[in-house]
Amino acid sequence: MEIMKKAFDFIDSNKERFLSFWEDICNIEGVAEDKAALDSVADRIEKFASEELGVFTERIPMEKCGDFLIIDTRHNSEKGICFLAHMDTVHKKGAFGSPAVKRDGNKLIGPGVIDCKGGIAIALLAMMALIECGYEKNARLILTSDEEISNRLGGEEEIRIIGLASQGFKAAFNCEVARENEIVVSRKGILRYRFEIQGIAAHAGIDYFGGASAIREAARKIIALEEQSTEGGTTYNCGIIKGGELSNIVPEKCEFVVDVRVKDKNEMALAEQKLKKIAEKQFVKGTETKLCFISRREPMIRNSETEMLFEHLNRVSKKYGLGELTAVESGGGSDSAYTQLANVPSICAVGATGDYCHTVREYADISSLTTRAKLLTVAALEL
């Protein structure tokens, strides 16, 4: 108990320091496609970790997305636990106004405060608490920069990096957005495809029936896809559609993107078959459809290792007065799928708590900086 008190005292006394760092990295706004901005985020984190905290950093240059970072507490030591988080956010610069980050009582409002930069601050605070307690194993933080777009820019190389960086650790805790007292034990996989439809343009008044509407074909396909969605199962969401030139022209082109969420690999294979079948089916004579792959994210499966890791986390949380935890399943994907594929027991959503992620109302509970850092510290010490 003396060690835990030392850890908790360290976390409480360093709250403002890490809160200031949290604000700093959130004020550097950057979506996954903005490599320059994401490299600036990495610069700030790397400087804080190496120069101010005195831990080891490794920067992995990436061609299309922001550089990745691996941060270690010890070199040449037995592997303990690893943390994951990501540096990219979903909104374009300026969406939250100026300054981007604002405090309102116990709330921190801004881009990525819970998804997922709060998790970065929490992981680093927990790692420093472990050092303070004399934790002899290596604790590692793996930071990626295109998680919000399902690793589309990093591709297979990114998945390989995550796997190699996490391999051999006793557990992987993903410091993703969280709700109070909830821990995510499974996540759906994600498929994204674009349907590109070619029709026949014609004058809408003079030669309406001589044309073939690409928009009408898209509409029929969208309905056919959305009708495949099942409660608690696979869902098909057509979220972006573009088509047509003028209202008096039968539209020659139309395209839309479908986001498919699946529980396991079997569902993923079936979903791809359905996408191809609907792409091949012609609803409007004279139209043709091309199906274009965008991205894929594997599902994180709820298995015996996940259950054991959750039970461990819940036990230490209750033991040290941090509350009883609830295991939940999420429809959102995360990089936990890839640590799991590397045979590392994995659990997700242990980062900052709050609400409204992916909106301009996103906020974090400032108090979760210390409560979640304490949870991760005791989880590591008693694992």
Side-chain angles (χ1 to χ4, degrees):
M1 291 297 290
E2 185 62 33
I3 291 177
M4 298 308 178
K5 183 180 185 305
K6 187 176 183 180
F8 285 14
D9 287 347
F10 176 86
I11 289 169
D12 287 333
S13 63
N14 280 273
K15 176 183 176 180
E16 284 301 321
R17 181 186 185 190
F18 280 80
L19 176 56
S20 178
F21 164 72
W22 184 3
E23 288 183 291
D24 283 352
I25 58 176
C26 289
N27 270 314
I28 308 172
E29 302 175 74
V31 296
E33 295 86 355
D34 190 343
K35 177 172 171 57
L38 269 297
D39 283 346
S40 294
V41 177
D43 289 343
R44 179 67 184 98
I45 297 169
E46 188 174 25
K47 181 178 180 180
F48 182 72
S50 62
E51 296 182 16
E52 298 180 42
L53 302 182
V55 292
F56 303 96
T57 64
E58 178 189 356
R59 187 153 177 159
I60 302 174
M62 301 297 290
E63 181 181 353
K64 295 180 180 178
C65 55
D67 293 348
F68 294 177
L69 286 176
I70 295 177
I71 302 171
D72 291 310
T73 56
R74 294 180 182 272
H75 276 171
N76 303 317
S77 297
E78 181 186 350
K79 293 179 179 179
I81 63 168
C82 72
F83 304 111
L84 292 90
H86 62 88
M87 298 176 282
D88 55 317
T89 53
V90 298
H91 289 94
K92 299 289 185 182
K93 292 178 183 178
F96 283 78
S98 182
V101 182
K102 305 168 186 68
R103 291 195 201 185
D104 182 10
N106 185 47
K107 291 182 179 180
L108 191 67
I109 304 164
V113 289
I114 50 172
D115 190 14
C116 171
K117 291 175 178 176
I120 299 172
I122 288 167
L124 287 173
L125 181 52
M127 290 165 75
M128 294 309 296
L130 288 171
I131 292 174
E132 183 73 11
C133 292
Y135 184 68
E136 295 182 352
K137 298 172 185 175
N138 183 32
R140 170 170 286 179
L141 173 59
I142 304 166
L143 296 175
T144 60
S145 62
D146 65 341
E147 191 275 347
E148 292 293 2
I149 57 171
S150 296
N151 319 95
R152 174 166 53 83
L153 299 176
E156 291 297 322
E157 175 64 10
E158 176 171 353
I159 295 166
R160 187 188 69 83
I161 290 169
I162 295 171
L164 285 176
S166 62
Q167 198 169 45
F169 280 85
K170 297 185 182 303
F173 294 100
N174 195 337
C175 299
E176 273 282 8
V177 47
R179 291 185 184 273
E180 191 172 3
N181 298 323
E182 289 185 354
I183 301 294
V184 170
V185 293
S186 76
R187 287 187 178 275
K188 285 187 172 183
I190 306 172
L191 282 173
R192 291 196 178 100
Y193 274 86
R194 183 173 59 255
F195 283 68
E196 296 180 353
I197 301 165
Q198 178 70 44
I200 300 171
H203 192 290
I206 298 172
D207 192 25
Y208 173 80
F209 290 101
S213 172
I215 288 180
R216 181 150 57 102
E217 177 71 11
R220 296 288 298 274
K221 280 177 160 54
I222 289 170
I223 292 169
L225 286 167
E226 297 263 3
E227 286 179 341
Q228 303 292 319
S229 299
T230 58
E231 189 80 30
T234 301
T235 57
Y236 298 78
N237 182 66
C238 302
I240 302 172
I241 184 167
K242 301 175 183 177
E245 295 178 72
L246 296 170
S247 61
N248 62 353
I249 300 175
V250 175
E252 182 181 22
K253 295 181 184 295
C254 187
E255 65 178 53
F256 65 90
V257 174
V258 59
D259 176 299
V260 187
R261 305 285 168 135
V262 299
K263 296 184 75 172
D264 55 45
K265 288 187 176 182
N266 289 335
E267 284 191 8
M268 187 171 281
L270 288 171
E272 286 193 297
Q273 290 176 15
K274 289 180 179 179
L275 292 175
K276 290 174 183 177
K277 185 177 180 179
I278 290 173
E280 291 168 358
K281 184 173 181 179
Q282 185 188 67
F283 293 91
V284 177
K285 187 178 179 181
T287 61
E288 294 180 355
T289 300
K290 181 181 179 182
L291 185 62
C292 303
F293 173 79
I294 298 175
S295 64
R296 174 198 308 268
R297 183 190 290 283
E298 298 297 326
M300 172 193 171
I301 306 299
R302 186 172 188 169
N303 57 25
S304 59
E305 288 187 330
T306 306
E307 294 285 358
M308 288 175 64
L309 193 54
F310 169 76
E311 290 302 325
H312 167 71
L313 206 60
N314 193 29
R315 179 183 64 80
V316 296
S317 185
K318 290 187 289 185
K319 179 179 177 179
Y320 294 102
L322 300 172
E324 184 169 0
L325 303 174
T326 301
V328 298
E329 298 183 344
S330 173
S334 84
D335 287 338
S336 293
Y338 302 120
T339 55
Q340 193 176 67
L341 285 176
N343 297 315
V344 181
S346 302
I347 212 159
C348 199
V350 296
T353 65
D355 210 346
Y356 304 123
C357 67
H358 289 208
T359 77
V360 292
R361 295 182 293 162
E362 180 175 346
Y363 78 86
D365 302 314
I366 292 174
S367 58
S368 67
L369 172 63
T370 54
T371 55
R372 285 295 171 121
K374 290 174 182 178
L375 176 62
L376 294 176
T377 301
V378 294
L381 289 170
E382 297 210 355
L383 189 63

